[in-house]
Amino acid sequence: MTNSLQKRADILQDRFGLKTASYLSAGAADLPYDISERLRAARVQAVSSRKVAKTQPPAPSSATVAARRLPGAPTMA
Amino acid sequence: LATEQELSDFLKNVEKRAFKRSIYHVRDEEAALDIVQDSMMKLAQHYGDKPAAELPMLFQRILANTTLDWFRRRKTRNALFSNMSDFESPGEDGDFDLLETLESLTNSEGTESAQDATERAQILHEIELQVKELPGRQREAFLMRYWEEMDVAETAAAMGCSEGSVKTHCSRAVHALSKALSAKGIKL
């Protein structure tokens, strides 16, 4: 009984929260042009300075490694 | 790993909400823009190579920390210039965006009746005022949960607190907002 009441309270709370957020979203969608432009410029600048993962040289295949370890194996040249 | 396009799309999706959230916290347009710009740069420079799925949580954390840094800097600056109040420009109380929001809302709703549009704008105005009045942690938890649509665990991780605390903050925020809006005759 208590659980179901708690669940109902949670649902009502979530519903109120989402409804409130929908009003806030409507407000945020209509920001003044100059603000939107400055945000866009900031985004472009941020993306241009993006950290790129360091690329490592491709690892040699297992067959190549094995061949190098074998005495008398043919050279790859 | 997030591609340049994914990072750009992510930022485009969150930038306006991030700006509004910063406004609710700092109540200063220029400061809010600086905070969002700094947060975007930090995300891109330090975490631009992370998987796209990790970006929302990382960005929320960065935004919260950058906002906190702004308050710390302001506190230090205020302490430094406590006897030099001339440096503070008067009247920067942040009500500009409400007026502009009201105006743009009214203008943008072409199919709505004027009465509906006005009513909606008034509700938004009142909600924004009441959100600004919430204690910081309650506001943060409430906005992450319901505006950013993060779940309890994600919100807790972003805020650096327990899931129980998030639930408590959200519950208190909803009660406070609901009570304040009801007092103004607003039912959602």
Side-chain angles (χ1 to χ4, degrees):
Chain A
M1 186 65 180
T2 313
N3 274 350
S4 69
L5 280 177
Q6 183 58 47
K7 267 190 178 173
R8 183 167 163 70
D10 289 346
I11 289 169
L12 289 174
Q13 178 181 310
D14 288 349
R15 193 181 295 168
F16 178 89
L18 292 169
K19 185 86 178 171
T20 308
S22 73
Y23 277 94
L24 296 176
S25 293
D30 290 315
L31 284 179
Y33 177 77
D34 63 318
I35 299 287
S36 301
E37 269 305 292
R38 288 176 68 177
L39 289 171
R40 188 193 62 78
R43 177 188 357 123
V44 170
Q45 192 183 357
V47 171
S48 70
S49 67
R50 180 176 80 109
K51 178 183 181 182
V52 181
K54 285 177 187 170
T55 52
Q56 292 179 339
S61 70
S62 55
T64 312
V65 172
R68 280 183 190 161
R69 283 181 186 158
L70 286 173
T75 59
M76 300 302 290
Chain B
L1 303 184
T3 63
E4 188 172 312
Q5 189 61 47
E6 283 173 327
L7 178 64
S8 178
D9 289 346
F10 167 73
L11 291 175
K12 190 176 182 181
N13 185 39
V14 297
E15 65 194 15
K16 289 183 177 177
R17 288 200 304 277
F19 171 72
K20 293 293 282 187
R21 280 178 51 198
S22 296
I23 284 277
Y24 298 149
H25 284 300
V26 303
R27 305 179 187 207
D28 179 307
E29 182 183 5
E30 287 300 321
L33 278 167
D34 285 347
I35 287 168
V36 175
Q37 182 169 9
D38 282 356
S39 301
M40 286 177 165
M41 289 296 282
K42 284 175 188 167
L43 180 77
Q45 288 175 345
H46 300 293
Y47 303 102
D49 59 347
K50 293 284 181 187
E54 291 182 21
L55 296 181
M57 171 93 71
L58 288 166
F59 185 70
Q60 298 309 329
R61 247 188 214 182
I62 292 170
L63 188 66
N65 287 335
T66 308
T67 306
L68 204 59
D69 288 344
W70 181 86
F71 277 110
R72 286 189 187 121
R73 279 201 304 273
R74 193 181 67 158
K75 196 174 170 188
T76 308
R77 189 196 61 187
N78 286 349
L80 280 172
F81 294 112
S82 58
N83 294 324
M84 302 168 76
S85 56
D86 291 350
F87 281 96
E88 300 293 332
S89 57
E92 290 183 353
D93 59 2
D95 60 353
F96 66 93
D97 67 307
L98 294 175
L99 294 175
E100 286 172 352
T101 303
L102 288 175
E103 190 179 19
S104 56
L105 256 181
T106 313
N107 292 339
S108 66
E109 303 294 338
T111 55
E112 241 179 352
S113 75
Q115 190 182 349
D116 288 347
T118 306
E119 195 176 316
R120 250 164 50 86
Q122 282 171 344
I123 293 174
L124 171 63
H125 183 171
E126 205 51 54
I127 287 173
E128 291 199 314
L129 283 178
Q130 297 306 329
V131 166
K132 283 181 186 173
E133 291 302 314
L134 289 174
R137 298 288 280 176
Q138 282 184 31
R139 181 171 53 233
E140 199 61 20
F142 178 82
L143 293 175
M144 279 193 204
R145 277 286 285 122
Y146 296 114
W147 206 11
E148 301 296 339
E149 297 185 16
M150 295 164 71
D151 63 28
V152 174
E154 289 169 336
T155 307
M159 290 180 67
C161 64
S162 70
E163 294 185 19
S165 294
V166 169
K167 287 179 186 171
T168 304
H169 286 318
C170 284
S171 175
R172 287 180 180 165
V174 164
H175 280 91
L177 286 173
S178 168
K179 193 175 169 186
L181 294 175
S182 290
K184 299 276 181 182
I186 297 171
K187 297 276 180 197
L188 296 184

